[in-house]
Structures are given as C-alpha cells and as structure tokens.
Amino acid sequence: MSGLGAAMAGGNPANGRKKDDFYATVDTDVTEALLQRFHFGPRKIHECACGTGEMAEVIKAYGYDVVATDLIDRGYGAGNIDFLSLAQPAAPVVITNPPFKLAQEFVEHGMRDLKLDCMALFLKSTWFHAACRTGFFHRVPPFLKLDLTWRVDFSGQGRPTMECSWFIWKRGHKGPSAFRPLERPQATRLISAI
C-alpha cells in the first residue's frame, strides 16, 4: 500500500514500515484513558512489548506492579524477552501495544497457552476488518472493544491519521463482544472492573 491509501490506513508511505514494527505509544492519553475507565484489580501487569516505556510508566503511576519486557532491548525494562516463547506468565494481566502483525499470536498465546486472566491490546480500530481473522473472532471473541475518540500520532509529525482501539479479552468470555467509545482522559467515572 502506498500514497494516500497508506496514509489513510495510518501507514508511512515515504519511509515504509519502521524496523521491527516499532511504533511507540508516546501519547500517554491512550493508556490513561483505559486506566481511568477500568480497574484491573490488585494485580501485577505485564507490559510485554514495552518499547521505550511510555505505557508501562502510566500503568505504574496508577499503582500497579509492572513487569516490563520487550523482544528488542530499547533501554527500558528487560530486553530480549520473546512473549510468544514464554512458558509461564509473568503476570495474570497483559496491557500492551504489540506489533500489529503479531497481535493474533499474542492473544492466542496469552489466553490459550498462558491462561491469562485478561489481555488489553492497543490495535488499529479496523484490526478485525480482515477475512483471515473471522474464525479467530468466533473462537476467541474480545470481551470489549473501546474505540478512541481521537486519532493517535505514531509518527510524531503532528498529523495523527490512525484510528485505534483497546481490545480486551477476558478469560472465560464466550461472547458477545461489547463496544464503547473511549474519551480522552479527564475526570471519568469507572465503568467496569475486570
């Protein structure tokens, strides 16, 4: 995909994809919005694609004990840790912005193999708009999809184009999936406990 189509889909046609599909979540409002609306209990949380630590730092600020790891050592957390190779969970809950191309593998491994209580993945809003994910949706439906009411600027150029959502999977959930818009952080009421 190139040109206008790539830009509309949140791509970067001038430079191609970033190495290792690394798009840091420097907009801390993304994580703030999730944590202002949901309480994940007195649990340890694994940020398993922590990158440079922006998301993990927000999670810590909300009082959670955070295990921060990444496949690539970017100077934050423990590097050279492949979430998809873990035999035991580092925590019962995962909150992360994974490489989009590996998101399905993250959910399958986390929910099926590691038997996590909950996973919250930050993905493109259109992530399920692919025929190849239909079977996965029916096998492992998300508990909730929270669409951000603002666009995220992954390029740092002040021109946000990508529409993103939090997809939340919960152990034992069989469907249907719920949907809610998610406003930018402010004094928002807690709507659910996971």
Side-chain angles (χ1 to χ4, degrees), residues 125-126 129 142-147 165-168 178-180:
S125 293
T126 59
H129 294 194
F143 166 68
L144 181 60
K145 180 185 179 202
L146 297 167
D147 284 341
S165 302
W166 281 103
F167 291 80
I168 300 174
F179 158 82
R180 291 192 182 110

Side-chain angles (χ1 to χ4, degrees), residues 48 71 81-87 102-110 113-114:
C48 56
L71 179 61
I81 306 291
D82 183 358
F83 174 74
L84 297 176
S85 296
L86 293 180
L102 297 176
Q104 182 172 332
E105 289 88 342
F106 268 57
V107 175
E108 296 262 19
H109 183 61
D113 302 333
L114 299 178

